[in-house]
Every structure is written in structure tokens, then in C-alpha cells.
Amino acid sequence: MLILVVEDEPICALSTVAELEHAGHKTLGPAATLEEGLELARTGHPTLALIDIDLMHAGDGVELAKRLRELHVPTVFVSAQHPSAFDHSDLAMGLIGKPYNPADLPPSIEVISAILDGKPVPASSLPRALQLFH
């Protein structure tokens, strides 16, 4: 799966990319701003975007999710901004809440991938870090 990573904290961004690539995924980014994320999405055509809501402390991740929806790129928020994520649950498939164990990232992506493929996912198989919105 080709995954766009939009995260403005460098250590978190690099850790996310490393964990995804170790699990066999390809990544775009990391992007640190709405503009960078949008450009990577337009040129790279990701299958999924993982977006931090509070980019540069401006909440731009919500606006990016709106724009990615127009490009038909499914989104999962990866954020400590849980209330904001739930307030904007119409823009994303779910939330991976920070802080999370990096080992929870690959199984969360497997669940999202199954959903995108139209496969049912039993609630009992959801990784601890992942909360689905729909």
C-alpha cells in the first residue's frame, strides 16, 4: 500500500515512515504542512493518508483531510487531538491516538486495508491504538 504520511514532528514522522516501510508499505513523505501533503497526494496518488491534525499547531490536518477527500484519498487521523478528530469524523476512516505503540501501526494499517478492500473486520480484531469512525 502507498501511504502518505503528514506529520510535523520530525522524530514521530521518521518513526512512522520506518515502521510502515518495515511492514512492507511504500510511503510518500513525510510532509510537515498542508501544502506539502497536498502536493505529494496530487503527484503520488497514495492509497491512504495518515494525517496529524495539529500541523504546525494550526489544525491544518482537518483542512488537508477535506482536500484529500476531494481527491478520493482515504484518511486516518494520527493525533493526540482526540476531540477534534471525533468532531471531524466525517473526514476520516478513524483515529490512531497518540501516543501509540509503534508496533500497533502495521496491524492498524492491515485493518484499514481490509476495510478499503470491502472485507468485514470484527471489532474484536481491532488494534488497541485504532478507533474506527464508520
Side-chain angles (χ1 to χ4, degrees):
M1 177 179 287
L2 181 58
I3 302 171
L4 171 62
V5 176
V6 184
E7 169 62 64
D8 64 340
E9 295 181 26
I11 292 173
C12 188
L14 294 175
S15 172
T16 299
V17 167
E19 195 67 38
L20 292 170
E21 290 181 352
H22 181 72
H25 300 287
K26 294 182 181 178
T27 59
L28 291 171
T33 66
L34 178 150
E35 294 80 13
E36 289 174 0
L38 197 54
E39 180 62 25
L40 285 173
R42 287 183 177 140
T43 59
H45 310 288
T47 310
L48 176 68
L50 299 180
I51 301 176
D52 183 12
I53 290 176
D54 202 14
L55 298 173
M56 301 294 178
H57 309 292
D60 288 344
V62 171
E63 181 61 30
L64 179 57
K66 287 178 189 174
R67 295 191 187 183
L68 292 180
R69 183 174 59 181
E70 294 168 3
L71 297 174
H72 307 288
V73 177
T75 297
V76 173
F77 291 129
V78 181
S79 182
Q81 305 300 320
H82 298 217
S84 185
F86 284 100
D87 288 347
H88 299 285
S89 63
D90 59 318
L91 299 175
M93 295 178 67
L95 167 70
I96 298 173
K98 289 181 181 176
Y100 64 89
N101 180 336
D104 287 337
L105 193 56
S108 296
I109 298 303
E110 286 178 30
V111 168
I112 296 297
S113 180
I115 292 168
L116 291 173
D117 289 342
K119 299 175 184 171
V121 178
S124 62
S125 70
L126 289 181
R128 178 175 12 140
L130 178 63
Q131 296 178 31
L132 295 175
F133 293 151
H134 309 287

